[in-house]
Amino acid sequence: MKNVSLWNIFLAFAKIGAFTIGGGYMMVPAIEDEMRRRGWLSDEELPDIVALSQSAPGLLTVNMAIFAGYRMRGISGSIVATVGCILPPFVIILLIAMFFSNFRDNRIINAIFSGVRPAAVAIIAAYMVKLLKRGRHNAASFIISGATLLLVALLKISPIYILTVLIVISAGVGLYRQKSRKGQ
């Protein structure tokens, strides 16, 4: 991989941070597209970075910036990508907080937010479909996804409890499979 300048890493992640409304899963496709377009990360590396970022504690996009920046330039790349990713939204939110009380009841501002919400949901759904097409899936992954959706959305069970149970079950299944292979 070519040596990417820290300034270019900062600018790329600052652009993503500044122009991606909705954060989190809204930024994932933007990060992937930017990294792929610039040739900074391969199509094989990107799903690994997304998976690692989702597994690590903390904000998804910050984790992606950390892992992508590290892959490109080590620790300094991680720091620069993270600062680039969080600085523009921080400034934007700070400005909104300072002036929002003046516009809280403005019908135009409320209409803008009402229009952005469904678009954000659609972008997240499109990315989920993209992930489904890309990954290896079996019946169990669809059952777990559907059951998790129902438990969270309908029964209002905390995702933390669901993830904890799934981690314990997955670890148990993994250990069982590992012992089965050794016994063969």
Side-chain angles (χ1 to χ4, degrees):
M1 176 186 307
K2 60 186 173 192
N3 196 9
V4 181
S5 78
L6 293 174
W7 180 246
N8 284 338
I9 293 172
F10 175 82
L11 289 177
F13 279 91
K15 180 177 98 175
I16 292 165
F19 295 107
T20 310
I21 296 173
Y25 285 100
M26 293 291 296
M27 291 177 100
V28 173
I31 292 172
E32 281 192 354
D33 290 342
E34 190 73 19
M35 299 298 106
R36 186 177 289 116
R37 185 178 62 75
R38 292 176 180 258
W40 289 351
L41 298 172
S42 69
D43 287 342
E44 293 79 32
E45 292 172 302
L46 287 167
D48 292 339
I49 288 175
V50 173
L52 281 171
S53 299
Q54 289 173 324
S55 302
L59 301 171
L60 175 64
T61 52
V62 171
N63 290 343
M64 283 191 71
I66 290 168
F67 290 125
Y70 186 80
R71 174 67 182 89
M72 292 183 287
R73 286 292 302 270
I75 292 174
S76 58
S78 288
I79 293 168
V80 168
T82 303
V83 171
C85 189
I86 63 173
L87 187 61
F90 175 77
V91 171
I92 291 167
I93 292 298
L94 185 62
L95 292 172
I96 289 172
M98 288 171 37
F99 299 108
F100 185 69
S101 62
N102 298 336
F103 300 104
R104 182 181 7 215
D105 297 324
N106 186 310
R107 290 187 352 211
I108 295 171
I109 299 296
N110 288 330
I112 290 170
F113 283 121
S114 294
V116 168
R117 278 188 213 110
V121 170
I123 291 169
I124 292 169
Y127 182 69
M128 300 298 277
V129 169
K130 184 178 174 182
L131 283 178
L132 282 172
K133 287 179 181 178
R134 204 189 288 162
R136 297 180 312 249
H137 303 286
N138 55 32
S141 63
F142 287 106
I143 291 169
I144 291 169
S145 298
T148 302
L149 176 66
L150 292 173
L151 291 170
V152 172
L154 299 178
L155 299 178
K156 307 279 190 255
I157 295 175
S158 171
I160 294 170
Y161 299 133
I162 296 167
L163 289 173
T164 303
V165 169
L166 287 173
I167 288 169
V168 170
I169 291 171
S170 298
V173 168
L175 287 171
Y176 175 77
R177 287 181 180 167
Q178 187 175 17
K179 284 184 180 181
S180 297
R181 286 187 200 127
K182 286 182 181 180
Q184 292 178 350

